[in-house]
Amino acid sequence: MSDIIELRLSEAETYDDVHEWLAAKLDLPATYGRNLDALWDCLTGYINLPVSLLWINDNESTKDYTAIIELFEEASSECDQLSFEYLVNDKDE
């Protein structure tokens, strides 16, 4: 059975850095380097699998998280037991 971890973008705004938020949500080690290379290493070799990651864009942030989202997509294509889905939660719908 796969764990499901919801990454609600609105929660990221409460952290000083998006990597702090990811470390907390994904239970990454204290040694997590807080950059894309370290995130890749954790996704492909540290986190418990199987897992489904849901990135939910539920606010109107102007910050660009494209690199992180692409990294999640690439990691999910490399790891059979890691799935990633990007969702937009439009408040007007």
Side-chain angles (χ1 to χ4, degrees), residues 32-75:
Y32 171 57
R34 284 143 179 85
N35 59 54
L36 293 176
D37 288 337
L39 182 58
W40 175 265
D41 291 343
C42 287
L43 291 175
T44 60
Y46 178 80
I47 64 171
N48 292 325
L49 301 174
V51 66
S52 296
L53 304 176
L54 302 176
W55 181 291
I56 302 170
N57 186 351
D58 61 349
N59 71 6
E60 297 176 4
S61 174
T62 57
K63 294 180 182 176
D64 184 4
Y65 297 108
T66 302
I68 293 172
I69 292 168
E70 288 177 352
L71 185 138
F72 278 124
E73 291 172 338
E74 186 175 346

Side-chain angles (χ1 to χ4, degrees), residues 7-26 28 32-39 55 61 63-65 68 72:
L7 301 170
R8 294 187 173 275
L9 193 53
S10 59
E11 295 175 2
E13 302 298 321
T14 62
Y15 289 82
D16 291 336
D17 181 282
V18 69
H19 287 282
E20 294 295 329
W21 170 60
L22 292 171
K25 294 297 290 186
L26 300 174
L28 300 181
Y32 171 57
R34 284 143 179 85
N35 59 54
L36 293 176
D37 288 337
L39 182 58
W55 181 291
S61 174
K63 294 180 182 176
D64 184 4
Y65 297 108
I68 293 172
F72 278 124

Side-chain angles (χ1 to χ4, degrees), residues 71-90:
L71 185 138
F72 278 124
E73 291 172 338
E74 186 175 346
S76 71
S77 70
E78 296 272 333
C79 300
D80 292 337
Q81 297 184 4
L82 171 64
S83 69
F84 174 74
E85 189 171 357
Y86 177 83
L87 304 171
V88 175
N89 185 8
D90 189 349

